[in-house]
Amino acid sequence: MSLIFRMEDSPLGSVEIVLVGTLQSGNVGSVARAMKNMGLVNLKLAGLQCTLDEQARWMAPHAGDILDSARVYAGLREALAGAQYVIGTTARDRRFRTLMTPAQMAEKVLSLVPANRVAIVFGREDSGLTNDELELCDEAVTIPAAPAMSSLNVAQAVMIVAYELFCRAESWGPAAGAGRLASSGEQQDMYDHLRTLLVGIGFLNPHNPDIALGKIKRLLTRAGLTAKDVRLIRGVVRQLQWYVDSTRGPER
Ligand code: SAH
């Protein structure tokens, strides 16, 4: 079977590579090249810390179109608003998460496309993704590497992830019943709403609400929320908020 398919037929058209806070323009160029090699086309740059100069072009021969069409965002949340499923990448073991391997990640991604847009997020060269940024992700993936040096160059990490996707995309067929999930924007708005309610009734610690909220997020992520599910939960939250406000009376 051929590994070459036409881009318009490729399930990888629904996959976005998102770079956060990249410091070196050469790395953005290398990412564009890796993407082009592996049949990915959508690049998003959130909070970019460099300009796409000669160095970026030099590292991206024949991949200038990916740099030209890259979309730029102030922050990660804005960059993710249109994605239905978000996967973070991290070299470090974040205790509170189950980390996927790149192979598991590729299987998951190909079960979600093309009904869903999937964003895969890569962090800064020096400090990676913050915990808050990882909280915007539905799942996280770690590339196995030698414990003495487990942190890869960001473009090499993109290459490994993209390669896994490319190899599986060849034998891909639309998964039966893979429905469209709620977008990241819809989900984050719902979690903001839920956070306000749960802090208000004393369920979440106002000084550190996101640890317990993260556990709720992971539970709901496992359910695979659709836009309709999100509307249902928001309806429940709205009604609870109304009930709390009306029984509590005006604040004194
Ligand atoms: N010191 C940082 C590493 C930054 S490397 C840290 O510990 O997180 C820059 C980016 O490359 C990371 O944010 C991640 O997106 C990706 N990356 C590097 N090594 C990786 C690995 N072993 N698994 C998954 N992603 C990795």
Side-chain angles (χ1 to χ4, degrees):
M1 243 192 288
S2 161
L3 274 172
I4 309 299
F5 36 63
R6 292 182 318 164
M7 250 344 278
E8 56 270 30
D9 299 335
S10 169
L12 301 185
S14 305
V15 177
E16 299 169 351
I17 298 296
V18 184
L19 302 184
V20 182
T22 311
L23 300 162
Q24 300 286 338
S25 62
N27 278 332
V28 183
S30 295
V31 166
R33 179 179 191 161
M35 289 174 63
K36 187 90 178 189
N37 285 143
M38 294 297 137
L40 293 170
V41 287
N42 305 304
L43 176 60
K44 292 187 167 180
L45 305 169
L48 190 64
Q49 298 296 311
C50 57
T51 49
L52 297 185
D53 56 8
E54 278 306 299
Q55 187 66 17
R57 303 272 157 193
W58 172 253
M59 297 302 277
H62 310 295
D65 55 329
I66 297 202
L67 291 178
D68 292 337
S69 61
R71 273 163 290 167
V72 176
Y73 300 85
L76 181 56
R77 190 162 164 160
E78 296 89 324
L80 295 178
Q84 276 80 30
Y85 205 80
V86 181
I87 298 173
T89 58
T90 176
R92 280 177 291 159
D93 178 14
R94 315 274 180 146
R95 285 180 312 282
F96 57 95
R97 278 191 180 272
T98 325
L99 297 166
M100 294 188 289
T101 63
Q104 290 166 332
M105 175 271 327
E107 206 166 301
K108 177 82 196 183
V109 171
L110 288 159
S111 75
L112 291 166
V113 293
N116 298 291
R117 283 189 84 75
V118 179
I120 308 178
V121 185
F122 294 83
R124 300 158 188 80
E125 293 93 328
D126 54 352
S127 54
L129 294 170
T130 64
N131 283 337
D132 283 350
E133 286 161 350
L134 270 173
E135 278 303 331
L136 295 173
C137 302
D138 295 305
E139 298 213 50
V141 58
T142 290
I143 300 162
M149 178 62 178
S150 63
S151 169
L152 280 71
N153 165 269
V154 64
Q156 293 178 354
V158 169
M159 177 51 110
I160 288 174
V161 162
Y163 171 75
E164 288 287 347
L165 291 169
F166 182 77
C167 289
R168 270 178 189 68
E170 187 227 3
S171 55
W172 173 86
R180 192 181 180 94
L181 301 177
S183 71
S184 176
E186 288 165 329
Q187 292 187 53
Q188 295 312 322
D189 289 347
M190 175 190 78
Y191 288 122
D192 285 348
H193 200 173
L194 194 58
R195 184 191 297 103
T196 305
L197 172 73
L198 297 182
V199 168
I201 64 171
F203 181 79
L204 293 178
N205 176 348
H207 303 297
N208 207 348
D210 289 326
I211 292 184
L213 189 66
K215 291 182 183 156
I216 297 173
K217 279 186 189 176
R218 280 183 281 287
L219 168 70
L220 292 176
T221 297
R222 285 205 297 278
L225 297 181
T226 62
K228 208 168 156 192
D229 296 331
V230 166
R231 282 198 296 276
L232 174 67
I233 294 173
R234 292 200 72 165
V236 172
V237 171
R238 201 174 307 115
Q239 190 69 20
L240 283 171
Q241 188 72 63
W242 172 83
Y243 184 78
V244 169
D245 292 345
S246 61
T247 52
R248 213 179 245 167
E251 292 283 344
R252 272 176 293 161

